[in-house]
Amino acid sequence: MSKIRKGDDVVVLAGKDKGKRGTVLTVDEDGRATVENINIAKKHVKPNPNKGETGGIVDKEMPIDLSNLGLYNPVTDKADRVGIKSLEDGRKVRYFKSNGEVVDV
């Protein structure tokens, strides 16, 4: 079970975008995630008339390592560490380490 999933609200813990919040768009198997409006890079794109694409310089969201992201805890209004525990009915759920509140419902 992954501690950070697609659609989660995360805070960047390290890097040039430290402190910014965003929503996870994709999570790769190699331990990286693409976050909305985080880790923006300039990408030079050639025009492709067959696809109808114009060329130029495009801002693109690049993947960031999962170790540099923390799940946003709305109760504390900060990033928080995440653990995984099993409930009585056998389901595995994620919870915040600081206050024990369950993330998944």
Side-chain angles (χ1 to χ4, degrees), residues 55-75:
I57 301 172
V58 179
D59 288 336
K60 184 178 180 187
E61 293 147 345
M62 301 302 286
I64 187 169
D65 202 86
L66 288 175
S67 64
N68 296 330
L69 298 175
L71 197 61
Y72 175 72
N73 189 346
V75 176

Side-chain angles (χ1 to χ4, degrees), residues 12-28:
V12 180
L13 302 175
K16 66 179 181 179
D17 294 322
K18 182 177 179 177
K20 290 185 182 178
R21 271 178 52 192
T23 306
V24 177
L25 301 174
T26 61
V27 178
D28 302 331

Side-chain angles (χ1 to χ4, degrees), residues 2 8-9 15-16 20 28 37 42 59 88 91 101:
S2 177
D8 284 343
D9 204 19
K16 66 179 181 179
K20 290 185 182 178
D28 302 331
N37 297 324
K42 301 279 187 189
D59 288 336
E88 298 83 33
R91 289 188 303 137
E101 186 177 330

Side-chain angles (χ1 to χ4, degrees), residues 1 83-95 102:
M1 173 181 267
I84 298 171
K85 66 180 176 182
S86 296
L87 298 178
E88 298 83 33
D89 60 355
R91 289 188 303 137
K92 285 187 176 182
V93 292
R94 299 178 297 165
Y95 69 98
V102 175

Side-chain angles (χ1 to χ4, degrees), residues 45-56 58:
V45 179
K46 280 182 130 179
N48 188 346
N50 295 334
K51 293 183 181 176
E53 296 176 356
T54 58
V58 179

